[in-house]
Amino acid sequence: TLLRAAHRRGIGVISDYIVNHASARHPMFTSALQGPDAPFRDWFVWRATQPPGWDIWGKNPWYASDRGDFYFGTFGAHMPDFDFRNPAVWDYHASSLRLWLNRGLDGFRLDAVPHLVENDARDWNDQPESRALTRRLQQLITAYPRRHVVCEATAKPQDYGDPAVCGGAFAFGYVHHFAGAAL
């Protein structure tokens, strides 16, 4: 109903899509918490011990489960990262995006794309793998006629604006510059 009403008025609808992580309360992650053989376990990033040397925005991004192993959450324990090295994770997101595009959604704002893959404690932000995945997401979305994508890219947003990566980008860190320019 929303899409039909918006389109009748010449308005496109773009939805926020969280691609990097799930909620710690999501059924997929609560299943993954059950142990190494649990469904969806390999959909998230796990280690048997807490890897040393990590610091993302003043915090260690590895969080202990009740089982004593550790999962990765760039943005905190409440948002565990998907493991994009698992092809099933890509397939899940691609299917989800297609579902909404097939219903007529006009595009997406893709959240936190520089954080799709974190290689190690030093190379956790804006990895080549993250850019390649972002490009695949952009290609999937723009394969539909008149669809748009913009990526949240706090790391080098100009690079993510390049059509070879995302085609449109913004970073929250610049908001104060824009607000101050209006004064």
Side-chain angles (χ1 to χ4, degrees):
T1 302
L2 171 68
L3 287 172
R4 283 192 304 274
H7 290 164
R8 274 195 310 270
R9 292 169 176 84
I11 299 169
V13 178
I14 297 193
S15 178
D16 197 23
Y17 189 84
I18 311 303
V19 66
N20 175 69
H21 50 270
S23 165
R25 295 181 186 173
H26 193 283
M28 285 189 292
F29 187 69
T30 59
S31 168
L33 285 170
Q34 302 307 309
D37 297 325
F40 300 107
R41 177 67 171 207
D42 61 348
W43 284 44
F44 298 91
V45 181
W46 294 92
R47 298 292 180 270
T49 60
Q50 188 176 43
W54 284 81
D55 182 342
I56 296 181
W57 304 302
K59 294 182 181 176
N60 188 321
W62 291 95
Y63 298 93
S65 76
D66 291 342
R67 301 180 64 81
D69 50 6
F70 292 82
Y71 65 91
F72 189 84
T74 301
F75 298 99
H78 60 295
M79 292 187 269
D81 280 33
F82 283 111
D83 186 350
F84 271 92
R85 289 185 170 96
N86 178 349
V89 171
W90 167 263
D91 293 343
Y92 165 77
H93 286 291
S95 285
S96 181
L97 292 168
R98 278 191 216 97
L99 176 123
W100 291 106
L101 291 163
N102 289 336
R103 289 183 175 183
L105 193 69
D106 299 288
F108 295 93
R109 176 245 184 219
L110 300 176
D111 184 70
V113 292
H115 308 293
L116 299 179
V117 175
E118 292 87 358
N119 288 319
D120 57 49
R122 192 195 65 194
D123 296 320
W124 60 268
N125 192 12
D126 191 27
Q127 295 304 292
E129 297 94 327
S130 295
R131 287 180 180 224
L133 286 164
T134 300
R135 175 69 174 147
R136 286 180 67 195
L137 291 164
Q138 186 250 24
Q139 289 173 325
L140 183 152
I141 295 164
T142 59
Y144 286 74
R146 300 180 47 152
R147 297 312 202 282
H148 183 73
V149 61
V150 62
C151 293
E152 177 199 3
T154 54
K156 302 179 183 173
Q158 300 89 334
D159 291 358
Y160 280 81
D162 185 317
V165 181
C166 179
F170 74 94
F172 287 117
Y174 292 110
V175 171
H176 68 279
H177 294 295
F178 302 135
L183 298 176

